[in-house]
Amino acid sequence: MAKNFLTQIFGSRNDRLLKQYRRVVEQVSALEQQFEKLDDEQLRAKTQEFKDRVARGEALDALLPEAFAVVREGSKRVMKMRHFDVQMLGGMALHNGKIAEMRTGEGKTLTATLAVYLNALSGHGVHVVTVNDYLANRDAQWMGRLYNFLGLSVGVNLPQMSRQEKQAAYGSDITYGTNNEFGFDYLRDNMVYEPADRVQRGLNYAIVDEVDSILIDEARTPLIISGQAEDHTDLYIAMNRAVPLLTRQEGEADPLTGEGVTKPGDFTVDEKTHQVFLTEQGHENAEAILANLGLLPEGASVYDPANITLMHHLYAALRAKHLYHRDQHYVVQRGEEGQLEVVIVDEFTGRLMAGRRWSDGLHQAVEAKEGVPIQPENQTLASITFQNYFRLYAKLSGMTGTADTEAYEFQEIYGLETVVIPPNRPSKREDQLDRVYKTTREKYEAAIQDIRECHERGQPVLVGTTSIENSEIIDQLLTKVGLPHQVLNAKQHAREADIVAQAGRSKMITIATNMAGRGTDIVLGGNVEKAVEAVEADEALDPAARQARIAELRTQWQQDHQSVVQQGGLRIIATERHESRRIDNQLRGRSGRQGDPGSSRFYLSLDDPLMRIFAGDRVRAIMDRLKMPDGEAIEAGMVTRSIESAQRKVEARNFDVRKQLLEYDDVANDQRKVIYQQRNDIMDAADLSAQIASLREGCFTDLVRQFVPVESVEEQWDLAGLEKVLADEWGIVLGLRELVQASTAITDEDILEKVIAAAHQAFERKVAEIGPQNFTQFERVVLLQSIDVHWREHLAALDYLRQGIHLRGYAQKQPKQEYKREAFELFGQLLDSVKNEVTKVLMTVKVQSGEQLDQAAEDMEERAEHISNITYTAPNETGEAESRLDESTAARSAVGVGAALAAGEVPRVGRNDPCPCGSGKKYKQCHGKLA
């Protein structure tokens, strides 16, 4: 109450910001006449003048009014579009690192040019992030005309571009691209071995278009670069045969009484959390089924450590069968190589996500279910969440039509404030109350009747659905009643811009799956610009005929536009509520752009997933109590509010999911920053001797302390053991015992110094033989490879740790704290492993001249001839000796052992290690006898 009272007096935070921005808009407008008098060259020269002023230290904020005025004037000349004052407000919000919420049709693409131009003057690059390649390409070409006119360069970053093309795109003043490609380029840049192979420069400033779609909807799945792991194809196929033998339990058991189950079964499906759980009976049946299929040894448990992967695969197969549905979560289509493949459908935009795969074996389980070729599993090489990637930018801003419902999350996770920009003209759209029917059939009949009435009076209709499956049902129903229409879903990806552009024509019926981020306005009466462009491109027409044809087209469009406005504008009919209010608002926002009339209505049934899970029972009870006849709908504000409250619950749960993902990834992110910083320092350093010396000291300190503990007395020292290890493993011969006997007083620190000094000398002799310049390159490769290998293993370890960490809750421990503690310990082990491995390789590597290599090759041939004449015997199962080497094996082992002997490696093979000859036997039972 008090808060509302204060807001009435002082205005909200949003009102105060807009008031502040409007004062600057007046300054921009005051410059308009002055800049109109400049010719094109003088206007273009302003860009260089601004760049020089920034280089001299002038702040971008001081340049803002002039820069915005230059962009407005340039747009009037090149694009024939003048920025509205509200677009200026949006441009300021973007420049100040905020989210500009601007309704659909308010011209967000043009608004962005203001902040992009101003921030590009610094010379550090600006990234404009879009939701798909089509929009990145289109916007770069469309707005590129304006930027090029003003003297700025524009690049587009697309998948499958060569390294040189990407470097050129990132080297431009302004780079357009998709969120995925920017994120993957960042990861790839931190996997290269040469500084020249990097494509990105610093992450300076990004404007994210459809910011809610990218930073919220897509933030639940991290970006992962992966390589092939071991193949489990047969296991997926076998599990797919096992799953139909398990039955689903109906109803949910009360944890105290055990009652509430209407039909017992082997597993339950929790649609709210999107999980499947086996019941006690299910565990027993699963073990019996897996034993019958030969996957589980008789009498063994699925929870034995050796069988733990079976459980993982069984759950993946159950989820694939009961939670992931064709034409809703994915489609099956032919790939580039002609093979059928499973392609994920983005649940928020309805687009196909080619190249993306579900992790943890889920994708392979879906492939097994659909009977398409199963692609091998992958292991993670590098990964990052969108939250952590976008937080790397020095300044971040975004724009969308619907951010206000998620303003808390933007502020909480990204520190981004949302500014609601008022529309250029007030909206006249009428949002009618939802209609709730008992059954899906009644809902569709009512929606089709509404569409028919609109079509008969000439009103264009946009029908919104939440899945491809639903859009195809409506497609069939409309075909059945003979109403002409067009379908826009993931399967018509390429034609989408044309379909959307003409969706405002009279009598046009368009079915769309999720209308987020289409990047094209629905203009009442249809989009005349496309037809005008076609006439302008027609070289057969002379200029006069061309102008006459264009004037005719524009006149016709004006009549069509007026006719549609009189019929009530664009009608939005939705057949389901999405679990996020934002997606519903995006659909509604398609109607009533720029002050046009319009209307919207949602048709729902008690069988819809959202209603069934959250509000179905309550509403069904009301309908039964009121004895409502079939075909009758409930239409009440109370019901609409109840549905919105269900959506809020889902949004809150999804926010928790994303926040939890981020909290866990923050641990990996701190470590990722350290590792990537180390890699970059190593690649950029001209000399690595200080780093290598530090690693060497650490390694030999750890070694000495095993034999000579800190602050210990002479009786506790094992100098003989230390001398042996130094000689055998490191090639350092030191008479430590003689040293101790010869001296009157010696401490453990003296021993440590002596060993480290000897290690430094041995290493420096090696470097002197080859020259520091050549050795640095070798050091760099060894360091980078060691870091990469251990980082990969570390990521896998973190993955396994995260999967089971929630079980610590049963021991009254805080899972997140436990995860942080153990991840920190694992990271310490990673750094130790790198230190020891790098030191070992650099200390034991053999430096040989060309003549020595030739001599080694000759020796190898001699040894090979010698060894190939030897056969050896090993006892067979009956205890008799028999020959185990045929000629080809003998030749192969001769080369293997010859090479090993030439490199002086044989003594370092452990007795129980596999023999280097490749026979598959232990060394002591193979060439160990010869050695």
Side-chain angles (χ1 to χ4, degrees), residues 28 129 150 258 277 436 476 571 628 883:
V28 176
V129 187
L150 293 173
F277 301 101
V436 184
Q476 288 161 9
R571 169 79 165 160
M628 289 179 67
S883 173

Side-chain angles (χ1 to χ4, degrees), residues 399-516:
M399 48 189 188
T400 177
T402 45
D404 207 30
T405 54
E406 311 288 353
Y408 174 72
E409 181 166 351
F410 283 125
Q411 185 67 56
E412 181 86 353
I413 289 185
Y414 302 97
L416 287 171
E417 187 179 2
T418 302
V419 181
V420 181
I421 307 293
N424 188 40
R425 295 179 187 154
S427 171
K428 296 179 193 164
R429 188 183 69 239
E430 181 197 356
D431 293 330
Q432 298 165 345
L433 292 172
D434 299 1
R435 282 194 173 163
V436 184
Y437 294 83
K438 254 186 181 173
T439 65
T440 311
R441 181 183 58 78
E442 293 169 35
K443 168 183 85 171
Y444 282 132
E445 281 173 358
I448 297 295
Q449 182 56 35
D450 193 344
I451 294 168
R452 182 191 274 119
E453 286 168 11
C454 293
H455 182 72
E456 283 168 359
R457 65 172 174 266
Q459 186 176 7
V461 182
L462 176 65
V463 187
T465 67
T466 57
S467 69
I468 297 175
E469 190 180 30
N470 287 356
S471 68
E472 289 180 348
I473 290 172
I474 293 191
D475 175 24
Q476 288 161 9
L477 291 172
L478 288 173
T479 306
K480 201 171 167 185
V481 296
L483 288 174
H485 60 279
Q486 48 189 359
V487 183
L488 171 64
N489 61 29
K491 292 180 177 178
Q492 274 82 24
H493 196 60
R495 289 176 49 227
E496 73 171 37
D498 297 333
I499 294 176
V500 173
Q502 304 309 334
R505 284 186 170 173
S506 178
K507 295 198 170 199
M508 189 63 85
I509 301 171
T510 310
I511 305 169
T513 310
N514 295 353
M515 284 301 297

Side-chain angles (χ1 to χ4, degrees), residues 812-847:
Q812 306 300 311
K813 290 180 179 174
Q814 171 59 270
K816 276 177 208 149
Q817 291 307 109
E818 289 290 295
Y819 180 75
K820 282 179 185 172
R821 186 179 58 76
E822 292 213 13
F824 182 71
E825 285 173 16
L826 285 170
F827 192 62
Q829 290 169 18
L830 176 151
L831 296 177
D832 282 346
S833 302
V834 170
K835 174 179 72 183
N836 294 331
E837 187 178 277
V838 170
T839 306
K840 187 88 175 192
V841 170
L842 295 178
M843 288 294 291
T844 56
V845 69
K846 282 194 164 51
V847 179

Side-chain angles (χ1 to χ4, degrees), residues 85 95 186 221 303 583 683 689 720 735 738 774 851 886:
D85 284 357
H95 168 66
Y186 169 74
T221 40
Y303 287 107
I583 309 291
M683 276 199 294
S689 53
E738 290 87 344
N774 297 330
E851 296 82 43
D886 60 16

Side-chain angles (χ1 to χ4, degrees), residues 228-233 236 357 364 367 374-378:
Q228 280 199 4
E230 55 187 306
D231 194 7
H232 289 136
T233 303
Y236 287 112
R357 293 176 67 77
Q364 286 80 0
E367 286 169 335
I374 295 175
Q375 296 177 26
E377 276 183 70
N378 293 324

Side-chain angles (χ1 to χ4, degrees), residues 131 141 249 379 445 452 559 570 621 707 914 922:
V131 286
Q141 288 172 3
Q249 176 175 297
Q379 70 180 50
E445 281 173 358
R452 182 191 274 119
Q559 290 168 3
L570 180 66
F707 298 92
K922 288 184 180 175

Side-chain angles (χ1 to χ4, degrees), residues 248 252 268-277 322-323 325 328 579 607-610 612-614 650 653:
R248 180 172 174 171
E252 211 169 314
T268 59
V269 177
D270 187 343
E271 290 182 276
K272 285 184 191 177
T273 60
H274 220 57
Q275 290 294 339
V276 177
F277 301 101
H322 296 282
L323 288 169
H325 307 299
Q328 184 179 344
E579 52 180 48
D607 299 330
D608 293 349
L610 191 78
R612 193 180 71 244
I613 297 169
F614 286 98
V650 182
R653 205 197 93 245

